Amino acid sequence: MILIDGKKAAAELREELKQEVTELKTKYNKVPGLTVILIGDMAPSQIYVRNKEKSANEVGLKSEVIRYPDTVEEKTVLEKIEELNNDESVSGILVQLPLPKHIDKQKVIETITPSKDVDGFHPMNVGNLSSGYESSVPCTPLGCYLMIKKIEPNLSGKKAVVVGRSNLNGKPMAQLLLKENCTVTITHSRTKDLKAECLEADIIVAAVGIPELVKGDWIKKDAIVIDVGINKTENGLVGDVAFDEVSKVAKALTPVPGGVGPMTIACLLKNTVDCFKRSQK
Ligand code: NAP
């Protein structure tokens, strides 16, 4: 079984991006810039943002974090986004979620100009992805996709099952696999027989949030299994896939932690560089 090493894949992607940023600097005499807006002091968000900043600096991006207290008015945040939309030195804007209740998440997402939407959440980017056009793609599914492609470069005709249909993970994941000519089934909480669906799959991506939902006897021999789930349990962090059982059947599997997680941040940097490149065209 191939243990898909997300840390290694992320380090390789960062290295590629670092070289690309150096080349862009020579060509345009400027580097891509990522601005993150962080509202409030929730510990996980603080940690994510610190990691994003560190990784951005590592690959040579210009990075900035704008912090607001969780009492900040929605209007202040929207005005700041408008300002960043018009700032040429900013290639990518990310507003760290979740937001305080008094701030309308969708309004925030839709205020970020699509060409700087490094999270790929703007309806314009969602539509472009589903129409098969160039777009920013949400970072977690993009990371999953890149890892799958490393294991199996030709996905045409493969049967893929995506477990979970969130806007963040399941739906964009399905679109990426469809673009690669997979036959894609999207499953969710109302799916009648999830085991039977999974047993058909050459590729499974599980993004549910239920510890070890996907079992060993749900897996076709030699399937590629990507585990997006991050679940805190008494036994520590586990994914949505029963790792020990599934690793005996699958051809390749991502661990939790150390699989999808590290690639998510690396893909944010990739999206920033890609936004910069599109803006120079
Ligand atoms: P979400 O928005 O809660 O969506 C969960 C999806 O799972 C929903 O579509 C839901 O179906 C489906 N579901 C729930 N119970 C199910 C069941 N018994 N069988 C089949 N499908 C079921 O979750 P998310 O934001 O996509 O996150 C999923 C997991 O990924 C979480 O553990 C999260 O922490 C993790 N995550 C990891 C990363 C990373 O970087 N590694 C990033 C983001 C999220 P319905 O639509 O019918 O309700």
Side-chain angles (χ1 to χ4, degrees):
M1 204 266 313
I2 303 167
L3 184 67
I4 305 174
D5 185 343
K7 275 193 193 158
K8 187 164 165 257
E12 285 168 5
L13 179 55
R14 283 197 304 272
E15 196 46 48
E16 281 169 29
L17 291 169
K18 195 172 168 180
Q19 285 181 21
E20 202 171 358
V21 170
T22 309
E23 286 162 20
L24 290 169
K25 192 174 176 183
T26 310
K27 190 167 175 191
Y28 297 108
N29 200 25
K30 55 186 173 184
V31 294
L34 171 65
T35 298
V36 176
I37 296 180
L38 175 60
I39 302 170
D41 54 8
M42 271 178 52
S45 295
Q46 299 273 352
I47 296 167
Y48 289 142
V49 169
R50 212 174 306 134
N51 287 339
K52 284 169 184 173
E53 201 179 12
K54 190 170 151 254
S55 305
N57 289 330
E58 199 184 309
V59 305
L61 301 183
K62 181 173 149 300
S63 110
E64 178 192 24
V65 180
I66 298 170
R67 292 182 163 79
Y68 290 114
D70 54 15
T71 51
V72 67
E73 277 187 48
E74 182 184 275
K75 185 169 160 277
T76 308
V77 178
L78 298 180
E79 280 171 6
K80 177 51 82 178
I81 294 172
E82 291 289 6
E83 189 188 312
L84 297 169
N85 284 342
N86 295 317
D87 183 340
E88 263 194 36
S89 72
V90 176
S91 324
I93 304 166
L94 179 148
V95 180
Q96 182 65 45
L97 303 177
L99 297 173
K101 284 200 174 62
H102 67 280
I103 298 182
D104 182 339
K105 181 176 96 176
Q106 201 54 27
K107 215 187 244 179
V108 166
I109 288 172
E110 290 181 22
T111 302
I112 299 172
T113 193
S115 60
K116 296 190 180 188
D117 166 35
V118 279
D119 255 340
F121 294 160
H122 192 287
M124 179 92 92
N125 281 317
V126 175
N128 278 341
L129 176 63
S130 67
S131 303
Y133 302 142
E134 197 171 55
S135 68
S136 281
V137 178
C139 303
T140 301
L142 180 58
C144 296
Y145 164 80
L146 294 174
M147 289 192 287
I148 295 168
K149 285 281 281 181
K150 268 203 178 160
I151 302 289
E152 182 58 72
N154 182 7
L155 299 175
S156 184
K158 301 277 182 207
K159 173 110 173 83
V161 170
V162 178
V163 190
R165 57 174 162 180
S166 70
N167 291 337
L168 180 66
N169 291 309
K171 284 181 195 155
M173 189 70 240
Q175 294 295 352
L176 287 168
L177 292 166
L178 192 59
K179 221 170 158 179
E180 287 290 323
N181 300 314
C182 288
T183 302
V184 183
T185 301
I186 306 175
T187 63
H188 46 78
S189 66
R190 317 289 164 87
T191 296
K192 287 253 162 62
D193 190 346
L194 188 56
K195 176 179 173 181
E197 299 292 347
C198 288
L199 269 170
E200 298 275 309
D202 301 307
I203 298 155
I204 296 180
V205 180
V208 184
I210 300 181
E212 304 186 326
L213 173 75
V214 177
K215 307 284 187 273
D217 63 356
W218 295 20
I219 307 296
K220 189 163 104 176
K221 195 175 173 306
D222 287 339
I224 298 172
V225 182
I226 306 291
D227 190 351
V228 179
I230 303 175
N231 307 293
K232 272 189 195 153
T233 70
E234 285 172 356
N235 305 322
L237 274 192
V238 299
D240 292 343
V241 174
F243 184 89
D244 290 344
E245 293 176 15
V246 171
S247 63
K248 294 193 177 92
V249 196
K251 170 176 160 185
L253 172 62
T254 56
V256 176
V260 174
M263 272 303 269
T264 297
I265 294 187
C267 285
L268 169 68
L269 310 179
K270 176 174 165 46
N271 278 347
T272 307
V273 171
D274 288 346
C275 282
F276 175 86
K277 287 195 296 192
R278 285 197 287 270
S279 73
Q280 301 304 314
K281 272 184 192 164

